[in-house]
Amino acid sequence: MDALTGDVEQYSDFFAALEKTSPVPIGFEKIEGGAHGYYHLEDKRIALDEGMSELQTLKTAIHEIAHAKLHALPEKEENEVIEDDRPDNRTREVQAESVAYTVCQHFGIDTSDYSFGYVAGWSSGKETEELKASLEV
């Protein structure tokens, strides 16, 4: 899937607002393997790939913030064991990208060229009820 290209009006203000609303710190690093970003569960941080377009950077930041808000593991006491009852990885990806698409659309930023293919790929084989449940989230 091709990365999004292009600049975004008021990019620095938009990115600063994302940093303020993110529940975890956001940083940039060189990410190998084609991923544009990731949410690190244990370190509680978001990494974004260096050198992406403004459009891809904002969309990816929103996607990873969605992971941080929706899919973080609960806090635990020392030596406490907490069951990971998060949805499966495919469902988490559909949810995060759907949030990213919706937030971008709200601000007049079109990510459909990327988001539609991404969601379709991760939701392939899912039942309609499973997808509806993700919309509820």
Side-chain angles (χ1 to χ4, degrees), residues 14 25 50 89 128:
F14 200 137
E50 297 172 339
N89 188 51
T128 303

Side-chain angles (χ1 to χ4, degrees), residues 9-26:
E9 196 173 321
Q10 295 182 296
Y11 169 79
S12 57
D13 293 337
F14 200 137
F15 192 84
L18 290 176
E19 287 182 303
K20 286 179 184 167
T21 59
S22 177
V24 298
I26 300 174

Side-chain angles (χ1 to χ4, degrees), residues 31-64:
I31 300 175
E32 303 297 328
H36 297 300
Y38 62 87
Y39 166 59
H40 197 288
L41 273 173
E42 288 80 27
D43 293 352
K44 296 192 180 335
R45 66 181 176 85
I46 290 171
L48 301 176
D49 195 22
E50 297 172 339
M52 295 187 296
S53 71
E54 290 179 357
L55 181 55
Q56 186 69 55
T57 298
L58 289 181
K59 200 282 308 165
T60 302
I62 296 166
H63 177 109
E64 300 307 334

